[in-house]
Amino acid sequence: MDNTTSIILSRMITASRTVDVIANNIANVATPGYEATHLESAAWIDRMRGVTAPPGGSKLSYTQAVGTWRDARPGPVHQTGNPLDLALPGGGYFTVATANGPRLTRDGRFGLLPNGTIANASGDALLDPGGQPITVPPQSGTLTIAADGTISTAQGIIGQVGVVTVPDPQTLKASGGNLFQTTVPPVPSATPGIVQGALEGSNVQPIVEITKMIEASQNFRMIAQFVTAERARDQSAISKILGATTS
């Protein structure tokens, strides 16, 4: 593979990855608490040491996808009236217990399991500040959840929703199902600011993402056309060289 094709293919791979990231954002426009991700790309310079410099210089610049970064800004809050829908407009994360261990989420759609445990749609229990599942006693009646997470019924306080913060949200690793895994111990939030009966929407900006998708798709097609043209040029050159050597 020649240098030109290698460079263009590196840009094509990055462009394809860009389309994938944007498509995932668009697919999660309606996912509560979803945080948009964006691709970070950079140039990788091959300084061509120990070889004769090609025409144009002794450096080759490739494009590579360095990774993605997460937009941690809160999304818009919408009232739902469901007492177990919870929003965190001030930031932070809920903690749920999964089969693979505790995970963080901003998706505040919760409900009651048959045994009274507050859990998300996957059955993962919502945890209190001490890392324990929260269970609502039978026939507790209406639940009231204060801004600090305190859960009360007509009989009194029955528990508290745990909310944590992460020093650097970019260290969070997506764990599927709008959940995150962290390698750094989260810190209990001093001011959770929970809003009961509401959900935080995705912070994806649909118009912006669709515009970026159009641009990224056009860029990918342009690069693909260039690769096709370069392949045709190579084949033509090879044919002419072979024709000249056999004549």
Side-chain angles (χ1 to χ4, degrees), residues 167-179:
D168 182 5
Q170 303 306 322
T171 62
L172 294 176
K173 180 181 179 181
S175 188
N178 211 12
L179 303 177

Side-chain angles (χ1 to χ4, degrees), residues 29-99:
V29 165
T31 301
Y34 177 79
E35 296 177 333
T37 56
H38 306 281
L39 187 73
E40 188 75 20
S41 60
W44 181 79
I45 306 298
D46 183 355
R47 301 190 182 280
M48 304 291 287
R49 294 185 177 87
V51 298
T52 302
S58 59
K59 299 179 182 178
L60 297 178
S61 179
Y62 296 87
T63 302
Q64 62 177 345
V66 179
T68 56
W69 60 274
R70 183 175 297 103
D71 184 351
R73 292 177 297 179
V77 174
H78 307 286
Q79 296 295 324
T80 67
N82 184 339
L84 286 176
D85 280 347
L86 308 176
L88 294 171
Y93 298 86
F94 300 108
T95 306
V96 295
T98 73

Side-chain angles (χ1 to χ4, degrees), residues 114-138:
N115 65 357
T117 300
I118 300 177
N120 61 15
S122 299
D124 303 324
L126 177 65
L127 302 182
D128 65 13
Q132 298 300 313
I134 304 169
T135 301
V136 179

Side-chain angles (χ1 to χ4, degrees), residues 71-223:
D71 184 351
R73 292 177 297 179
V77 174
H78 307 286
Q79 296 295 324
T80 67
N82 184 339
L84 286 176
D85 280 347
L86 308 176
L88 294 171
Y93 298 86
F94 300 108
T95 306
V96 295
T98 73
N100 297 313
R103 295 292 185 268
L104 307 184
T105 184
R106 288 185 61 81
D107 188 343
R109 294 175 294 181
F110 298 107
L112 291 180
L113 297 179
N115 65 357
T117 300
I118 300 177
N120 61 15
S122 299
D124 303 324
L126 177 65
L127 302 182
D128 65 13
Q132 298 300 313
I134 304 169
T135 301
V136 179
Q139 300 178 342
S140 292
T142 303
L143 296 178
T144 300
I145 302 177
D148 66 354
T150 300
I151 307 173
S152 303
T153 69
Q155 287 74 39
I157 297 175
I158 63 170
Q160 184 179 12
V161 177
V163 177
V164 299
T165 60
V166 178
D168 182 5
Q170 303 306 322
T171 62
L172 294 176
K173 180 181 179 181
S175 188
N178 211 12
L179 303 177
F180 299 105
Q181 183 177 6
T182 177
T183 56
V184 179
V187 179
S189 176
T191 55
I194 295 175
V195 178
Q196 184 183 18
L199 284 176
E200 176 196 354
S202 166
N203 67 2
V204 173
Q205 298 176 287
I207 301 302
V208 173
E209 294 299 318
I210 290 173
T211 301
K212 289 166 59 177
M213 174 62 83
I214 293 172
E215 294 176 349
S217 298
Q218 291 175 339
N219 183 45
F220 181 83
R221 285 195 295 269
M222 180 185 69
I223 296 173

